[in-house]
Structures are given as C-alpha cells and as structure tokens.
Amino acid sequence: MIKLGSHVGMAGKDMFLASVKEAESYGANVLMLYTGAPQNTRRKEIKDLNIEKGWEYAAQAGINEIVVHAPYIINLANTVKPETFTLAVEFLEKEIIRTAAMRSKILVLHPGSCLDAGVDAGTAQIVKGLNQVLDQNEDDVFIALETMAGKGSEIGRSFEELARIYEGVHKKERLRVCFDTCHVNDAGYDLSYDYEGVFQHFDEVLGLGQIAVFHINDSMNPCGTHKDRHANIGKGYLGEEVLKKLVHDPRFEEIPKILETPWLCEEGSDKKTIPPYKEEIRQLLG
C-alpha cells in the first residue's frame, strides 16, 4: 500500500487528535508534524499532546504511522557560537524523547549550516553533536538527515556530504535519510530526465535502504539553482509525471511520502489559506 500524506498542524486543546483529523480530511494514510513551533523552543508537556486519543482515532482512520520533523532552530553544524551548538544538542535530545512518546520511529533533521567555517568543520560539528546525542539515547527513533538544496551554507546538498556524516557517527544504524524531491532537484540531481540515474547514484553512495521518508514537492526553480522553493504538484520544474512515478515506484511502496507543497489563495486574495493536499493526494494516486 502506498503511504501518502502531508505535513499537518498540531495545536489547540486537541493537539495530536486534531492532527489526525486534519490528515483524514485530506485522504491521507500517513502524516508529518512538528511537536511544537519549528522556530522556537516552546513546547507543551508530553502529557498535554493528547497522544492516546489521537492514536485511537488514527486506528479508525487507517493511519498507523507518523513522521516527526525537528525544528529549524537545531543547527548542529554551528562552530561559531558554542551556545547555539549546545542548544541544538540539548533540544535534539528532547525531540527524540518526544518523537518516541508520539510513537514515531522517524525524526527528520536538517543537518545544519556551517556559516563561514566551511563544510569540513561543519560536518565534523554535526558528527560531534549526533554522537553526543545518540551515544546516550536508547530510544528506537531514527534520525533521518534531510537532503538539502544547497542554499547558503547548508550541509547535505549532495549524497556524498550525507555519507560523510554517516562515516563519523558511532551509531550509524540510528541514521536514515529524508529524500526531498525539491531539494534534490535544486541541488543539481535531475530527477526529471535521469530518474534511474539519480537513484542508482544514491544507492551507490548511501544505499536505497537508507531512505526512511520522502518529501514530495515540485520545485519553482530549474535543476541546480540551489534555491529551495517548493511548488505545487505539476506546477514546477519537476512536473507531475516524475513525482507520480516516484510515489508509485514499487521499491519505495512502504516508505512514507509527505507533501510539503504551498497552500493556495482564494480567488481575489493573496493570502494562502487553502491546503492543497486533498487534491494533490488524489492527483498523485490517480
């Protein structure tokens, strides 16, 4: 069975129950969420996330798997400000615990930005941080390093950069990859014209078995522009055909696929208030 869903919110008194109901309304059978705002460290207590009722409803809705995304404020690659690195390590530790409490096995993480220190120093810092966290944590949660577009000083813009992180981490078995189609396109991997070649290269560098989740996004920019701007399905440079091919690829049938495409505007308005996920899920499954 194809596992296809989208990013959903988690707020109000219903929290996780509201997340599941939102995913159900889109016709999703998997979902991704943040355990709190992605831009700050404010978090509700685990007991207030309404996890039990959410999973009771999920069982009825046919949703039996969720993905958690770590907040953007975690930057393990920062070598310039020790306090930023310390915050990243401490908060990642907490997010793993929260992910396990949510009954998710996958925590998606942006590897980090090295600023002016360079990729080598930034990668060493990421490895240092992951070892500090994973060497002391026994939860069965995988850290899924996200493929990045290469915007600014992001690390993870190539499969080789992710492989270098793997090489230094003690508990490599706790690492996986989140394969973002928009980011991969913008990083220079041409999925539209060399679909099999891209995945063959990934297999040679990291192994297809390391992909734990896909982010299914079209791209507003041509291949290799390092921009990271998501587009709605079929409205960008990747196009509907290749994204549909990936969703239906039998090699990846059991891997969760998550839409992060932009919300839409009502006619005559410039405010994005309409989620596109119900239609895009139908579009990709059709």
Side-chain angles (χ1 to χ4, degrees):
M1 179 182 69
I2 294 172
K3 297 178 180 179
L4 183 60
S6 71
H7 170 75
V8 296
M10 185 167 72
K13 64 178 183 179
D14 281 347
M15 295 302 285
F16 181 50
L17 176 59
S19 304
V20 177
K21 288 181 176 180
E22 181 182 350
E24 181 191 35
S25 74
Y26 301 146
N29 57 13
V30 65
L31 61 87
M32 185 179 75
L33 51 75
Y34 295 97
T35 72
Q39 302 91 352
N40 62 53
T41 59
R42 292 193 297 274
R43 293 292 183 271
K44 285 192 175 184
E45 296 292 331
I46 290 173
K47 64 180 177 60
D48 297 325
L49 298 182
N50 211 14
I51 295 171
E52 292 299 326
K53 287 186 178 178
W55 275 114
E56 287 174 9
Y57 194 95
Q60 301 170 24
I63 296 171
N64 56 26
E65 187 171 1
I66 69 169
V67 176
V68 175
H69 200 304
Y72 304 134
I73 57 169
I74 295 178
N75 184 11
L76 291 177
N78 193 313
T79 63
V80 178
K81 294 184 177 180
E83 63 273 19
T84 299
F85 176 75
T86 300
L87 170 68
V89 169
E90 292 176 350
F91 208 69
L92 181 57
E93 290 173 339
K94 293 177 182 177
E95 282 296 288
I96 292 175
I97 293 170
R98 291 170 70 83
T99 300
M102 294 290 301
R103 304 182 199 171
S104 173
K105 302 294 184 185
I106 305 169
L107 177 61
V108 175
L109 176 69
H110 291 186
S113 295
C114 58
L115 305 177
D116 295 326
V119 173
D120 289 345
T123 300
Q125 192 80 332
I126 293 169
V127 168
K128 176 183 175 181
L130 287 172
N131 282 333
Q132 285 185 25
V133 172
L134 295 177
D135 285 353
Q136 299 182 55
N137 180 273
E138 299 298 329
D139 288 308
D140 58 349
V141 172
F142 297 110
I143 303 295
L145 302 171
E146 186 164 344
T147 56
M148 303 306 292
K151 175 169 52 67
S153 61
E154 289 176 340
I155 294 176
R157 61 193 167 182
S158 73
F159 304 153
E160 286 79 8
E161 285 187 359
L162 294 180
R164 286 183 61 193
I165 297 172
Y166 267 75
E167 288 169 7
V169 171
H170 302 150
K171 292 186 176 180
K172 296 175 178 58
E173 69 277 7
R174 292 282 300 279
L175 295 182
R176 291 293 186 273
V177 173
C178 170
F179 190 106
D180 186 302
T181 55
C182 171
H183 294 176
V184 164
N185 172 79
D186 287 19
Y189 295 100
D190 203 337
L191 279 169
S192 294
Y193 293 95
D194 191 21
Y195 180 88
E196 290 301 337
V198 171
F199 281 111
Q200 181 180 343
H201 182 51
F202 185 96
D203 195 28
E204 291 168 353
V205 176
L206 285 155
L208 292 179
Q210 291 303 306
I211 301 175
V213 58
F214 284 99
H215 285 169
I216 305 295
N217 302 299
D218 213 326
S219 175
M220 291 186 182
N221 295 284
C223 182
T225 51
H226 304 292
K227 294 287 188 180
D228 186 10
R229 294 185 67 202
H230 297 186
N232 292 99
I233 303 302
K235 304 297 184 183
Y237 281 88
L238 276 163
E240 179 181 343
E241 183 178 347
V242 69
L243 296 174
K244 202 168 183 177
K245 181 176 182 179
L246 196 161
V247 166
H248 290 266
D249 193 322
R251 295 173 295 182
F252 309 130
E253 184 176 7
E254 292 299 314
I255 298 175
K257 300 167 187 72
I258 303 295
L259 289 158
E260 297 178 309
T261 48
W263 281 33
L264 307 174
C265 302
E266 290 186 19
E267 189 174 348
S269 172
D270 58 358
K271 293 183 179 179
K272 295 185 176 182
T273 57
I274 304 173
Y277 306 126
K278 184 174 182 178
E279 292 304 317
E280 289 186 339
I281 288 171
R282 184 181 297 138
Q283 181 181 356
L284 288 167
L285 291 178

